Amino acid sequence: MAYIEPQYDKSGNITHYRLFTSNRYDYKGRQIRKTQMWWPKDKNISQRKMKQEALKAAFEFEEKLEQGYQYDENQTFAEYAQYVMDLKERNGLAPTTLERYQGLLERINGAIGHMKLKDIRPQHLNQFYKDLAEYGVREDTSRARPRRILAKKLKALEIPKYQIAEKCHVSQSTLNAAIRGDTVRMETAKGISEALGYDISDLFTPEENTNPLSAKTILEHHRLISTIFAQADKELLIPYNPAAKATPPKVKKHKVESFQPEDMEDIVSTLQNAPLKWKAMSYVLIDTGCRRGELMGLQWKHIDFDKGTMMIEQALLYTKEKGVYVGPPKNGQPRAVYLAPESLDVLRKWHKEQLRIRMKNGLIWKDTGFIFTKDDGTPMHPDSITDWLGKFSKAEDLPHIHPHLFRHTAASTMIANGIDLVTTAAELGHTDATTTAKIYAHQIAKARAAAAGVRAGVFATIRKAE
């Protein structure tokens, strides 16, 4: 039953009403009361009219409760968003995805986090998406450039670089990059500065990026907002999902890029002079099309030199909170792939070289079992191969190389050579062939066109006769 209770000001005038409903009972048979404050929209409304509208609002309140809508008048979007993040974390959301969501939420909460969940409308979201496309909204200082004084400070320590790198919790290659003056991640800059006992501003200069966000990134914000409101809709906290009625920017579908055969010939030829570790890493990426995290997560126990196979059952991942850690492959399913003789050969050579490095470093070596490690045997940052390939391609005047381009090239090569989608999906570690078909639709269309040409060969005799 719904009823109302008048609320008075200091002069004894009714200013608003408290709405009550108590037609529900708990498991002990006790009546459950729900309340909600109601204020008239018109300040000049008569007392009688105010009471009538309050009673109407009370019955609407009761009706919504009966339908399952339980509004929390004070719950903000930011509060509910954090509840959803906690819920997803408990349900096993990958830490890397959770960190990405939390990063997006910082910008989202800055715009609508203070608003009550039930008050947000499609117009608010459309304005937010418009603002994200404005110049200067990014304010991204995620990277920092080393100042010249850093190299001088490190040289003054008069200790080996590997010991400095260990003290700073970074790889020696990352430390060398900072010494050269290359930009590094902000967390890396903070780690080096703290380890050396300096303020970050003493040794590094933040690099600001104020360019507008891309349509793809704006769409990421929209999808997260939609996910949060979808949960609220599922829990019957809101009458509809405003994100479903908003208008995010459209993202143009780009053709998946891959290397041409002549490009791959140049890359493989140039890799012959690369350091053995990086050559081995590149060969595995080219040969198998595995993801970079899967590459970095490989251990020697995953290689069967006799059978020529490699087992992919884990990935090396990174978040600011956890650092570098071992997690499952993206689809959560292990898979075995065959390696080319050339890949097996370079891995054997790298195995011998790593044993030599292990003997040389003695007590500082940590036996982690990983194939690709820092100089002390500990796992490398998953981004290491991306950084190295980018610099390698630039230095050797090659097309820009990103690990994922090797993956796309492997997929395109299989499809072009008639490998069926199910097998291609299994080799790439896709959950099912549908994913493969969506990503590589262009390559599949080319393969089908080629197939049509082959079929048309039956008419060759007629063509000659004509």
Side-chain angles (χ1 to χ4, degrees):
M1 179 178 177
Y3 56 98
I4 60 176
E5 181 181 275
Q7 306 295 302
Y8 301 89
D9 61 16
K10 293 181 179 179
S11 303
N13 298 315
I14 299 175
T15 57
H16 59 286
Y17 282 85
R18 184 187 296 273
L19 313 182
F20 292 90
T21 182
S22 56
N23 60 344
R24 301 175 65 197
Y25 298 85
D26 64 16
Y27 70 100
K28 290 186 177 181
R30 295 175 302 195
Q31 222 174 25
I32 300 174
R33 286 205 316 172
K34 293 287 184 180
T35 67
Q36 178 175 294
M37 302 305 293
W38 176 87
W39 282 266
K41 294 180 180 180
D42 183 2
K43 293 182 179 180
N44 299 318
I45 191 172
S46 67
Q47 296 288 301
R48 181 182 175 185
K49 183 68 173 176
M50 187 191 303
K51 184 176 180 180
Q52 289 176 344
E53 291 193 5
L55 278 170
K56 181 182 177 182
F59 286 118
E60 290 176 352
F61 178 49
E62 181 181 46
E63 184 181 0
K64 289 185 179 297
L65 286 173
E66 288 177 352
Q67 293 173 353
Y69 297 109
Q70 298 182 26
Y71 290 103
D72 182 346
E73 291 293 320
N74 298 314
Q75 189 172 34
T76 63
F77 177 87
E79 291 169 341
Y80 188 74
Q82 190 55 54
Y83 158 76
V84 175
M85 292 301 101
D86 293 342
L87 185 65
K88 289 190 171 295
E89 184 176 17
R90 291 196 302 272
N91 289 338
L93 183 69
T96 49
T97 305
L98 185 65
E99 182 177 84
R100 174 60 175 162
Y101 283 174
Q102 294 290 7
L104 295 174
L105 274 176
E106 288 183 15
R107 198 175 279 122
I108 294 170
N109 286 337
I112 62 173
H114 64 287
M115 297 180 67
K116 293 178 182 179
L117 191 67
K118 69 180 184 66
D119 290 341
I120 298 175
R121 297 290 180 266
Q123 295 91 328
H124 298 123
L125 302 181
N126 289 337
Q127 183 60 50
F128 173 55
Y129 302 148
K130 181 177 180 296
D131 292 342
L132 289 181
E134 297 293 332
Y135 184 86
V137 72
R138 184 189 296 264
E139 296 181 359
D140 182 6
T141 56
S142 59
R143 299 187 69 83
R145 182 170 293 280
R147 300 178 62 184
R148 291 183 179 180
I149 194 173
L150 174 64
K152 295 180 180 179
K153 295 293 183 183
L154 294 175
K155 187 176 182 180
L157 294 177
E158 297 183 347
I159 58 176
K161 286 183 182 178
Y162 75 84
Q163 291 184 3
I164 300 175
E166 188 175 47
K167 182 180 180 181
C168 297
H169 303 290
V170 298
S171 67
Q172 190 168 330
S173 60
T174 300
L175 184 66
N176 287 334
I179 293 172
R180 290 195 304 267
D182 297 342
T183 58
V184 296
R185 297 179 187 82
M186 185 60 71
E187 58 265 28
T188 299
K190 289 178 181 177
I192 293 174
S193 302
E194 290 174 2
L196 299 179
Y198 289 90
D199 187 83
I200 189 172
S201 60
D202 295 331
L203 304 178
F204 294 88
T205 302
E207 285 204 335
E208 295 187 2
N209 182 357
T210 57
N211 291 328
L213 297 181
S214 67
K216 181 180 178 181
T217 303
I218 296 173
L219 190 59
E220 280 189 79
H221 288 76
H222 167 73
R223 286 171 177 164
L224 178 55
I225 292 171
S226 186
T227 296
I228 292 167
F229 276 117
Q231 183 65 33
D233 191 18
K234 183 179 179 181
E235 295 181 355
L236 301 176
L237 299 177
I238 53 177
Y240 70 95
N241 181 347
K245 299 179 181 296
T247 309
K250 291 184 178 180
V251 178
K252 293 182 180 179
K253 291 185 177 181
H254 296 286
K255 184 176 70 175
V256 174
E257 295 182 0
S258 60
F259 290 117
Q260 297 300 312
E262 56 270 23
D263 294 327
M264 290 306 303
E265 289 179 10
D266 291 342
I267 291 169
V268 172
S269 175
T270 309
L271 279 170
Q272 303 314 305
N273 299 319
L276 187 56
K277 179 173 74 172
W278 300 102
K279 177 182 176 180
M281 295 168 74
S282 301
Y283 266 46
V284 173
L285 286 172
I286 292 170
D287 187 12
T288 68
C290 67
R291 303 175 178 92
R292 66 178 183 180
E294 295 170 343
L295 171 79
M296 306 306 288
L298 289 172
Q299 295 179 294
W300 288 113
K301 66 181 181 181
H302 297 138
I303 306 295
D304 188 326
F305 286 105
D306 294 330
K307 294 181 179 179
T309 58
M310 179 178 83
M311 194 71 186
I312 298 175
E313 58 184 25
Q314 64 186 34
L316 210 59
L317 307 169
Y318 172 84
T319 65
K320 292 179 182 179
E321 183 178 344
K322 299 182 67 172
V324 175
Y325 69 98
V326 176
K330 191 170 183 180
N331 70 344
Q333 298 297 320
R335 69 186 188 277
V337 294
Y338 282 94
L339 292 169
E342 293 79 4
S343 299
L344 290 167
D345 182 56
V346 75
L347 282 171
R348 286 191 185 97
K349 291 177 180 178
W350 169 241
H351 195 201
K352 293 179 180 178
E353 177 66 14
Q354 192 184 69
L355 289 174
R356 187 190 67 77
I357 296 172
R358 177 177 179 175
M359 295 292 291
K360 178 183 177 181
N361 289 336
L363 294 177
I364 71 166
W365 181 268
K366 297 176 179 62
D367 190 11
T368 60
F370 284 97
I371 296 178
F372 305 113
T373 66
K374 300 178 187 177
D375 295 338
D376 62 355
T378 56
M380 301 173 68
H381 194 290
D383 285 348
S384 299
I385 183 62
T386 305
D387 294 341
W388 186 84
L389 284 172
K391 292 170 184 175
F392 169 74
S393 56
K394 185 176 181 181
E396 299 294 339
D397 196 27
L398 294 166
H400 176 70
I401 303 175
H402 187 281
H404 225 67
L405 278 174
F406 287 146
R407 182 171 171 81
H408 291 324
T409 302
S412 300
T413 302
M414 285 188 282
I415 292 169
N417 284 276
I419 304 300
D420 64 272
L421 279 179
V422 174
T423 302
T424 301
E427 289 289 298
L428 295 174
H430 287 159
T431 304
D432 55 51
T434 305
T435 303
T436 313
K438 287 180 179 178
I439 297 174
Y440 300 104
H442 179 71
Q443 285 82 351
I444 293 169
K446 288 176 64 177
R448 293 181 67 181
V454 171
R455 293 196 307 272
V458 299
F459 301 111
T461 305
I462 299 174
R463 290 174 191 154
K464 288 179 181 179
E466 291 176 349

